[in-house]
Amino acid sequence: MTDENGEEQKSDAPTTLLQPDDVPIGTPLEWPIVDAGGMLMFDRGATLSKMEDRTFLFQHFEPHRGDLDIKPASSSANEDPANQQAPISVKDLDLTIGMSLGIRAKTGKGGPMHSSKLIGLAQNHTLFVMSPLEAGQPLSFRQGEQMEAVVVSARAVFLFLCAVGTVCSVPFNYLILSEPFGIRRLRSRKSARTRVKLAVRYAVAATGTDYEGLGIGSDISPTGMSLAAPMELGKVGDRLRVGFRIKTDEFNLDIDAVANIRNVQKGEPPDELIVHGIEFDQLESEQQIALKCFILDQS
């Protein structure tokens, strides 16, 4: 910024734009990194293991600190305007047996969603769902307790309320929930695939915990994505591991998945990155729901 005399003025406002020396190698980050549009790339505590990863990050992204000047979106900003035009019924949810749900106690609003699955649907719209687990154990719910649930249909994300009618443990742990009410459409979309630009960690080995490099994820769908990397990561049919961060109003978690390489395309100037079409292999239910919500956020 310059004053009326043409002299440069320095601003006291904190800058969020990072420089390479700001990002440590081999040390957990003390703050999250987001791109120029505010999309989360690395959460606090993530580690860039190699100098080449940091170089790649600054060549292809504009990293910013994610803990400065961040204004969280309100729920009304994320709500589909169509909610204001007509009431939404249970039929609009397009519920089907086997569909994944995210549920949490309404008294703990703002807490994490836990993955569940719809196993039954009565004519009066009573829901039968698997009891969500935490550390391998069913979460505890009380009869009459009000629940908040998220369901992702083919083209929209809905939030609704219901009450716990019965907590069952025989022949397995499941819940009987009341007919959904207070239904809101949070997001809707027009296409099944979304163009994004994600920082994606990868490892050529399909097993293990360490990642070997950093690439660019784009054209993401619930079943796969395009992954651009500085080198060829394998041939068609080979398997690799990928990891990236998903953050929505309902979910905030890492997607760590094994993926199959379906096609490989040679890079073009100036970057000459190799583009791999990859298909995710058996994502967990919670990851599937979070990924669908994230995709709808970007559409």
Side-chain angles (χ1 to χ4, degrees), residues 26 53 106 169:
D53 293 342
K106 191 174 187 301
S169 58

Side-chain angles (χ1 to χ4, degrees), residues 189 192-193 220-224 280 283 287-288 291-292 295:
R189 63 178 292 112
R193 203 170 182 89
I220 192 169
S221 78
T223 58
F280 303 133
L283 289 179
Q287 292 181 329
Q288 292 176 359
L291 185 56
K292 290 176 181 179
I295 291 170

Side-chain angles (χ1 to χ4, degrees), residues 65-115:
R65 280 188 59 161
D67 61 338
L68 300 177
D69 195 29
I70 298 299
K71 298 178 180 179
S74 65
S75 59
S76 60
N78 199 33
E79 189 170 340
D80 194 316
N83 284 342
Q84 309 302 323
Q85 299 177 5
I88 303 173
S89 68
V90 175
K91 184 178 179 180
D92 294 319
L93 298 177
D94 196 23
L95 296 173
T96 56
I97 304 302
M99 175 179 282
S100 296
L101 305 173
I103 62 176
R104 64 186 170 199
K106 191 174 187 301
T107 54
K109 189 173 182 180
M113 284 281 180
H114 300 280
S115 61

Side-chain angles (χ1 to χ4, degrees), residues 212-234:
E212 301 168 7
L214 187 65
I216 301 173
S218 60
D219 293 329
I220 192 169
S221 78
T223 58
M225 65 164 59
S226 293
L227 175 62
M231 61 181 182
E232 186 172 311
L233 304 180

Side-chain angles (χ1 to χ4, degrees), residues 186-226:
L186 299 183
R187 314 169 183 86
S188 59
R189 63 178 292 112
K190 296 180 180 179
S191 63
R193 203 170 182 89
T194 301
R195 294 189 63 86
V196 295
K197 187 177 181 181
L198 295 173
V200 178
R201 295 161 293 161
Y202 63 80
V204 175
T207 59
T209 57
D210 295 332
Y211 285 95
E212 301 168 7
L214 187 65
I216 301 173
S218 60
D219 293 329
I220 192 169
S221 78
T223 58
M225 65 164 59
S226 293

Side-chain angles (χ1 to χ4, degrees), residues 137-210:
Q137 297 298 318
L139 289 172
S140 176
F141 296 102
R142 303 184 308 275
Q143 185 175 8
E145 183 176 7
Q146 199 168 98
M147 309 293 297
E148 207 171 41
V150 168
V151 61
V152 185
S153 69
R155 294 190 179 275
V157 176
F158 296 95
L159 176 73
F160 61 84
L161 302 176
C162 54
V164 178
T166 308
V167 179
C168 305
S169 58
V170 179
F172 50 82
N173 294 296
Y174 67 97
L175 305 173
I176 302 177
L177 306 178
S178 71
E179 176 182 357
F181 60 93
I183 304 171
R184 289 187 292 142
R185 181 186 291 109
L186 299 183
R187 314 169 183 86
S188 59
R189 63 178 292 112
K190 296 180 180 179
S191 63
R193 203 170 182 89
T194 301
R195 294 189 63 86
V196 295
K197 187 177 181 181
L198 295 173
V200 178
R201 295 161 293 161
Y202 63 80
V204 175
T207 59
T209 57
D210 295 332

